[in-house]
mmCIF file of all heavy atoms in Angstrom:
data_model
loop_
_atom_site.group_PDB
_atom_site.id
_atom_site.type_symbol
_atom_site.label_atom_id
_atom_site.label_comp_id
_atom_site.label_asym_id
_atom_site.label_seq_id
_atom_site.Cartn_x
_atom_site.Cartn_y
_atom_site.Cartn_z
ATOM 1 N N GLY R 136 54.906 127.909 -52.684
ATOM 2 C CA GLY R 136 54.494 127.408 -53.981
ATOM 3 C C GLY R 136 53.004 127.128 -53.967
ATOM 4 O O GLY R 136 52.492 126.551 -53.007
ATOM 5 N N ARG R 137 52.309 127.555 -54.994
ATOM 6 C CA ARG R 137 50.884 127.221 -55.128
ATOM 7 C C ARG R 137 50.765 126.162 -56.220
ATOM 8 O O ARG R 137 50.905 126.455 -57.405
ATOM 9 C CB ARG R 137 50.064 128.466 -55.466
ATOM 10 C CG ARG R 137 49.984 129.456 -54.304
ATOM 11 C CD ARG R 137 49.154 130.679 -54.647
ATOM 12 N NE ARG R 137 49.006 131.550 -53.492
ATOM 13 C CZ ARG R 137 48.451 132.768 -53.516
ATOM 14 N NH1 ARG R 137 47.990 133.248 -54.681
ATOM 15 N NH2 ARG R 137 48.359 133.498 -52.425
ATOM 16 N N ASN R 138 50.508 124.936 -55.791
ATOM 17 C CA ASN R 138 50.487 123.796 -56.707
ATOM 18 C C ASN R 138 49.238 123.804 -57.579
ATOM 19 O O ASN R 138 48.128 124.049 -57.085
ATOM 20 C CB ASN R 138 50.508 122.476 -55.935
ATOM 21 C CG ASN R 138 51.755 122.310 -55.083
ATOM 22 O OD1 ASN R 138 52.714 123.078 -55.199
ATOM 23 N ND2 ASN R 138 51.751 121.301 -54.231
ATOM 24 N N GLY R 139 49.433 123.463 -58.838
ATOM 25 C CA GLY R 139 48.299 123.169 -59.692
ATOM 26 C C GLY R 139 47.756 121.783 -59.397
ATOM 27 O O GLY R 139 48.252 121.072 -58.512
ATOM 28 N N ILE R 140 46.733 121.384 -60.113
ATOM 29 C CA ILE R 140 46.127 120.066 -59.925
ATOM 30 C C ILE R 140 47.042 118.990 -60.500
ATOM 31 O O ILE R 140 47.554 119.126 -61.610
ATOM 32 C CB ILE R 140 44.740 120.024 -60.596
ATOM 33 C CG1 ILE R 140 43.780 120.954 -59.837
ATOM 34 C CG2 ILE R 140 44.185 118.600 -60.642
ATOM 35 C CD1 ILE R 140 42.426 121.100 -60.477
ATOM 36 N N TYR R 141 47.256 117.943 -59.727
ATOM 37 C CA TYR R 141 48.073 116.819 -60.201
ATOM 38 C C TYR R 141 47.382 116.123 -61.375
ATOM 39 O O TYR R 141 46.172 115.867 -61.338
ATOM 40 C CB TYR R 141 48.253 115.765 -59.109
ATOM 41 C CG TYR R 141 48.901 116.200 -57.827
ATOM 42 C CD1 TYR R 141 48.729 115.446 -56.679
ATOM 43 C CD2 TYR R 141 49.692 117.341 -57.745
ATOM 44 C CE1 TYR R 141 49.321 115.812 -55.483
ATOM 45 C CE2 TYR R 141 50.283 117.711 -56.556
ATOM 46 C CZ TYR R 141 50.098 116.945 -55.420
ATOM 47 O OH TYR R 141 50.682 117.310 -54.229
ATOM 48 N N ILE R 142 48.175 115.724 -62.367
ATOM 49 C CA ILE R 142 47.621 114.967 -63.488
ATOM 50 C C ILE R 142 47.517 113.477 -63.155
ATOM 51 O O ILE R 142 46.736 112.742 -63.763
ATOM 52 C CB ILE R 142 48.455 115.190 -64.764
ATOM 53 C CG1 ILE R 142 47.593 114.904 -66.002
ATOM 54 C CG2 ILE R 142 49.747 114.350 -64.750
ATOM 55 C CD1 ILE R 142 48.170 115.464 -67.290
ATOM 56 N N GLU R 143 48.286 113.009 -62.164
ATOM 57 C CA GLU R 143 48.332 111.570 -61.875
ATOM 58 C C GLU R 143 46.974 110.946 -61.540
ATOM 59 O O GLU R 143 46.707 109.822 -62.018
ATOM 60 C CB GLU R 143 49.321 111.288 -60.731
ATOM 61 C CG GLU R 143 50.774 111.439 -61.097
ATOM 62 C CD GLU R 143 51.315 112.821 -60.758
ATOM 63 O OE1 GLU R 143 50.491 113.751 -60.580
ATOM 64 O OE2 GLU R 143 52.539 112.973 -60.693
ATOM 65 N N PRO R 144 46.107 111.582 -60.755
ATOM 66 C CA PRO R 144 44.828 110.922 -60.465
ATOM 67 C C PRO R 144 44.011 110.580 -61.712
ATOM 68 O O PRO R 144 43.365 109.531 -61.765
ATOM 69 C CB PRO R 144 44.108 111.938 -59.572
ATOM 70 C CG PRO R 144 45.216 112.646 -58.872
ATOM 71 C CD PRO R 144 46.295 112.781 -59.915
ATOM 72 N N ASP R 145 44.045 111.454 -62.718
ATOM 73 C CA ASP R 145 43.342 111.133 -63.962
ATOM 74 C C ASP R 145 43.950 109.906 -64.631
ATOM 75 O O ASP R 145 43.230 109.067 -65.186
ATOM 76 C CB ASP R 145 43.402 112.327 -64.924
ATOM 77 C CG ASP R 145 42.338 113.355 -64.629
ATOM 78 O OD1 ASP R 145 41.162 113.078 -64.886
ATOM 79 O OD2 ASP R 145 42.678 114.438 -64.125
ATOM 80 N N LEU R 146 45.267 109.781 -64.572
ATOM 81 C CA LEU R 146 45.933 108.655 -65.223
ATOM 82 C C LEU R 146 45.761 107.372 -64.414
ATOM 83 O O LEU R 146 45.667 106.277 -64.985
ATOM 84 C CB LEU R 146 47.421 108.976 -65.419
ATOM 85 C CG LEU R 146 47.698 110.303 -66.148
ATOM 86 C CD1 LEU R 146 49.180 110.505 -66.344
ATOM 87 C CD2 LEU R 146 46.950 110.374 -67.480
ATOM 88 N N GLU R 147 45.684 107.499 -63.095
ATOM 89 C CA GLU R 147 45.431 106.329 -62.250
ATOM 90 C C GLU R 147 43.987 105.839 -62.394
ATOM 91 O O GLU R 147 43.678 104.691 -62.065
ATOM 92 C CB GLU R 147 45.723 106.689 -60.783
ATOM 93 C CG GLU R 147 47.220 106.895 -60.505
ATOM 94 C CD GLU R 147 47.493 107.736 -59.267
ATOM 95 O OE1 GLU R 147 46.520 108.178 -58.617
ATOM 96 O OE2 GLU R 147 48.677 107.946 -58.956
ATOM 97 N N TYR R 148 43.128 106.697 -62.904
ATOM 98 C CA TYR R 148 41.697 106.409 -63.061
ATOM 99 C C TYR R 148 41.381 105.891 -64.460
ATOM 100 O O TYR R 148 40.223 105.691 -64.821
ATOM 101 C CB TYR R 148 40.924 107.707 -62.792
ATOM 102 C CG TYR R 148 39.501 107.545 -62.305
ATOM 103 C CD1 TYR R 148 39.220 106.939 -61.086
ATOM 104 C CD2 TYR R 148 38.434 108.029 -63.059
ATOM 105 C CE1 TYR R 148 37.915 106.821 -60.627
ATOM 106 C CE2 TYR R 148 37.122 107.909 -62.613
ATOM 107 C CZ TYR R 148 36.879 107.299 -61.399
ATOM 108 O OH TYR R 148 35.583 107.178 -60.945
ATOM 109 N N ILE R 149 42.421 105.665 -65.251
ATOM 110 C CA ILE R 149 42.219 105.426 -66.677
ATOM 111 C C ILE R 149 41.402 104.167 -66.961
ATOM 112 O O ILE R 149 40.641 104.112 -67.929
ATOM 113 C CB ILE R 149 43.570 105.394 -67.422
ATOM 114 C CG1 ILE R 149 43.362 105.606 -68.924
ATOM 115 C CG2 ILE R 149 44.349 104.117 -67.148
ATOM 116 C CD1 ILE R 149 44.632 105.998 -69.648
ATOM 117 N N ASP R 150 41.508 103.132 -66.121
ATOM 118 C CA ASP R 150 40.717 101.920 -66.355
ATOM 119 C C ASP R 150 39.223 102.209 -66.262
ATOM 120 O O ASP R 150 38.427 101.662 -67.034
ATOM 121 C CB ASP R 150 41.106 100.824 -65.355
ATOM 122 C CG ASP R 150 42.463 100.201 -65.684
ATOM 123 O OD1 ASP R 150 42.928 100.371 -66.830
ATOM 124 O OD2 ASP R 150 43.056 99.574 -64.798
ATOM 125 N N THR R 151 38.849 103.082 -65.324
ATOM 126 C CA THR R 151 37.441 103.474 -65.211
ATOM 127 C C THR R 151 37.021 104.299 -66.416
ATOM 128 O O THR R 151 35.923 104.110 -66.967
ATOM 129 C CB THR R 151 37.213 104.263 -63.917
ATOM 130 O OG1 THR R 151 37.563 103.435 -62.799
ATOM 131 C CG2 THR R 151 35.763 104.699 -63.783
ATOM 132 N N TYR R 152 37.868 105.232 -66.827
ATOM 133 C CA TYR R 152 37.563 106.016 -68.023
ATOM 134 C C TYR R 152 37.347 105.101 -69.235
ATOM 135 O O TYR R 152 36.426 105.293 -70.029
ATOM 136 C CB TYR R 152 38.699 106.993 -68.336
ATOM 137 C CG TYR R 152 38.813 108.181 -67.403
ATOM 138 C CD1 TYR R 152 40.039 108.815 -67.213
ATOM 139 C CD2 TYR R 152 37.703 108.703 -66.738
ATOM 140 C CE1 TYR R 152 40.162 109.919 -66.380
ATOM 141 C CE2 TYR R 152 37.814 109.798 -65.898
ATOM 142 C CZ TYR R 152 39.050 110.405 -65.727
ATOM 143 O OH TYR R 152 39.168 111.495 -64.909
ATOM 144 N N LYS R 153 38.217 104.096 -69.385
ATOM 145 C CA LYS R 153 38.100 103.174 -70.519
ATOM 146 C C LYS R 153 36.790 102.391 -70.444
ATOM 147 O O LYS R 153 36.110 102.193 -71.462
ATOM 148 C CB LYS R 153 39.297 102.222 -70.536
ATOM 149 C CG LYS R 153 40.593 102.866 -71.004
ATOM 150 C CD LYS R 153 41.817 102.059 -70.648
ATOM 151 C CE LYS R 153 41.902 100.761 -71.403
ATOM 152 N NZ LYS R 153 43.197 100.072 -71.106
ATOM 153 N N LYS R 154 36.446 101.958 -69.239
ATOM 154 C CA LYS R 154 35.208 101.192 -69.068
ATOM 155 C C LYS R 154 33.991 102.049 -69.426
ATOM 156 O O LYS R 154 33.049 101.582 -70.075
ATOM 157 C CB LYS R 154 35.103 100.704 -67.621
ATOM 158 C CG LYS R 154 33.823 99.930 -67.300
ATOM 159 C CD LYS R 154 33.911 99.276 -65.949
ATOM 160 C CE LYS R 154 34.069 100.253 -64.813
ATOM 161 N NZ LYS R 154 32.836 101.055 -64.554
ATOM 162 N N ASP R 155 34.043 103.331 -69.017
ATOM 163 C CA ASP R 155 32.924 104.245 -69.274
ATOM 164 C C ASP R 155 32.978 104.837 -70.684
ATOM 165 O O ASP R 155 31.960 105.325 -71.194
ATOM 166 C CB ASP R 155 32.929 105.390 -68.261
ATOM 167 C CG ASP R 155 32.684 104.913 -66.841
ATOM 168 O OD1 ASP R 155 32.181 103.784 -66.675
ATOM 169 O OD2 ASP R 155 33.017 105.665 -65.897
ATOM 170 N N GLY R 156 34.154 104.831 -71.285
ATOM 171 C CA GLY R 156 34.320 105.419 -72.610
ATOM 172 C C GLY R 156 34.335 106.932 -72.616
ATOM 173 O O GLY R 156 34.263 107.562 -73.679
ATOM 174 N N GLU R 157 34.457 107.528 -71.434
ATOM 175 C CA GLU R 157 34.363 108.982 -71.358
ATOM 176 C C GLU R 157 35.082 109.526 -70.128
ATOM 177 O O GLU R 157 35.336 108.804 -69.162
ATOM 178 C CB GLU R 157 32.895 109.417 -71.283
ATOM 179 C CG GLU R 157 32.192 108.954 -70.004
ATOM 180 C CD GLU R 157 30.773 109.494 -69.847
ATOM 181 O OE1 GLU R 157 30.307 110.264 -70.712
ATOM 182 O OE2 GLU R 157 30.141 109.161 -68.819
ATOM 183 N N ILE R 158 35.412 110.813 -70.196
ATOM 184 C CA ILE R 158 35.740 111.620 -69.015
ATOM 185 C C ILE R 158 34.529 112.505 -68.792
ATOM 186 O O ILE R 158 34.089 113.205 -69.705
ATOM 187 C CB ILE R 158 37.014 112.457 -69.238
ATOM 188 C CG1 ILE R 158 38.239 111.550 -69.399
ATOM 189 C CG2 ILE R 158 37.219 113.440 -68.090
ATOM 190 C CD1 ILE R 158 39.519 112.288 -69.720
ATOM 191 N N ARG R 159 33.997 112.466 -67.588
ATOM 192 C CA ARG R 159 32.733 113.143 -67.312
ATOM 193 C C ARG R 159 32.889 113.984 -66.043
ATOM 194 O O ARG R 159 33.220 113.455 -64.981
ATOM 195 C CB ARG R 159 31.645 112.082 -67.128
ATOM 196 C CG ARG R 159 30.282 112.564 -66.686
ATOM 197 C CD ARG R 159 29.395 111.347 -66.411
ATOM 198 N NE ARG R 159 28.111 111.696 -65.856
ATOM 199 C CZ ARG R 159 27.020 111.933 -66.572
ATOM 200 N NH1 ARG R 159 27.093 111.845 -67.891
ATOM 201 N NH2 ARG R 159 25.887 112.234 -65.985
ATOM 202 N N ASN R 160 32.699 115.283 -66.165
ATOM 203 C CA ASN R 160 32.738 116.159 -64.989
ATOM 204 C C ASN R 160 32.074 117.483 -65.351
ATOM 205 O O ASN R 160 31.497 117.616 -66.439
ATOM 206 C CB ASN R 160 34.173 116.350 -64.481
ATOM 207 C CG ASN R 160 35.112 116.897 -65.539
ATOM 208 O OD1 ASN R 160 34.819 117.903 -66.191
ATOM 209 N ND2 ASN R 160 36.248 116.224 -65.719
ATOM 210 N N CYS R 161 32.170 118.456 -64.454
ATOM 211 C CA CYS R 161 31.468 119.729 -64.661
ATOM 212 C C CYS R 161 32.404 120.866 -65.057
ATOM 213 O O CYS R 161 32.039 122.039 -64.953
ATOM 214 C CB CYS R 161 30.671 120.107 -63.406
ATOM 215 S SG CYS R 161 31.680 120.395 -61.933
ATOM 216 N N ALA R 162 33.625 120.547 -65.518
ATOM 217 C CA ALA R 162 34.591 121.597 -65.842
ATOM 218 C C ALA R 162 34.239 122.365 -67.107
ATOM 219 O O ALA R 162 34.717 123.486 -67.308
ATOM 220 C CB ALA R 162 35.989 120.996 -65.983
ATOM 221 N N GLY R 163 33.423 121.779 -67.983
ATOM 222 C CA GLY R 163 33.035 122.463 -69.216
ATOM 223 C C GLY R 163 34.228 122.813 -70.074
ATOM 224 O O GLY R 163 35.116 121.996 -70.304
ATOM 225 N N GLU R 164 34.291 124.060 -70.534
ATOM 226 C CA GLU R 164 35.380 124.535 -71.398
ATOM 227 C C GLU R 164 36.512 125.172 -70.598
ATOM 228 O O GLU R 164 37.465 125.709 -71.181
ATOM 229 C CB GLU R 164 34.838 125.549 -72.411
ATOM 230 C CG GLU R 164 33.876 124.950 -73.414
ATOM 231 C CD GLU R 164 34.527 123.867 -74.260
ATOM 232 O OE1 GLU R 164 35.627 124.119 -74.799
ATOM 233 O OE2 GLU R 164 33.955 122.769 -74.363
ATOM 234 N N GLY R 165 36.425 125.121 -69.269
ATOM 235 C CA GLY R 165 37.467 125.723 -68.444
ATOM 236 C C GLY R 165 38.808 125.034 -68.635
ATOM 237 O O GLY R 165 38.874 123.827 -68.869
ATOM 238 N N LYS R 166 39.881 125.814 -68.537
ATOM 239 C CA LYS R 166 41.221 125.264 -68.691
ATOM 240 C C LYS R 166 41.834 124.950 -67.325
ATOM 241 O O LYS R 166 41.661 125.703 -66.368
ATOM 242 C CB LYS R 166 42.128 126.236 -69.456
ATOM 243 C CG LYS R 166 41.795 126.322 -70.931
ATOM 244 C CD LYS R 166 42.832 127.145 -71.666
ATOM 245 C CE LYS R 166 42.549 127.130 -73.173
ATOM 246 N NZ LYS R 166 43.565 127.926 -73.901
ATOM 247 N N CYS R 167 42.550 123.834 -67.277
ATOM 248 C CA CYS R 167 43.235 123.418 -66.056
ATOM 249 C C CYS R 167 44.739 123.363 -66.334
ATOM 250 O O CYS R 167 45.171 122.718 -67.294
ATOM 251 C CB CYS R 167 42.737 122.053 -65.600
ATOM 252 S SG CYS R 167 43.508 121.501 -64.056
ATOM 253 N N THR R 168 45.510 124.017 -65.499
ATOM 254 C CA THR R 168 46.963 124.039 -65.643
ATOM 255 C C THR R 168 47.561 122.882 -64.845
ATOM 256 O O THR R 168 48.081 123.059 -63.741
ATOM 257 C CB THR R 168 47.533 125.383 -65.152
ATOM 258 O OG1 THR R 168 46.936 125.704 -63.881
ATOM 259 C CG2 THR R 168 47.259 126.498 -66.137
ATOM 260 N N TYR R 169 47.459 121.686 -65.405
ATOM 261 C CA TYR R 169 47.918 120.487 -64.710
ATOM 262 C C TYR R 169 49.424 120.511 -64.456
ATOM 263 O O TYR R 169 50.204 121.056 -65.242
ATOM 264 C CB TYR R 169 47.598 119.236 -65.537
ATOM 265 C CG TYR R 169 46.155 118.834 -65.526
ATOM 266 C CD1 TYR R 169 45.331 119.125 -66.619
ATOM 267 C CD2 TYR R 169 45.599 118.171 -64.429
ATOM 268 C CE1 TYR R 169 43.991 118.746 -66.620
ATOM 269 C CE2 TYR R 169 44.269 117.790 -64.429
ATOM 270 C CZ TYR R 169 43.469 118.087 -65.517
ATOM 271 O OH TYR R 169 42.142 117.718 -65.512
ATOM 272 N N THR R 170 49.816 119.889 -63.351
ATOM 273 C CA THR R 170 51.212 119.640 -63.052
ATOM 274 C C THR R 170 51.344 118.179 -62.632
ATOM 275 O O THR R 170 50.397 117.407 -62.742
ATOM 276 C CB THR R 170 51.735 120.603 -61.964
ATOM 277 O OG1 THR R 170 53.148 120.429 -61.818
ATOM 278 C CG2 THR R 170 51.039 120.376 -60.630
#
Side-chain angles (χ1 to χ4, degrees):
R137 291 181 175 173
N138 299 349
I140 292 174
Y141 301 160
I142 203 163
E143 288 95 341
D145 277 289
L146 307 182
E147 290 158 359
Y148 206 64
I149 199 163
D150 286 343
T151 300
Y152 287 154
K153 286 163 68 175
K154 178 170 62 70
D155 295 342
E157 65 174 359
I158 295 176
R159 174 186 174 91
N160 57 51
C161 63
E164 294 299 311
K166 288 188 175 180
C167 182
T168 47
Y169 285 102
T170 187

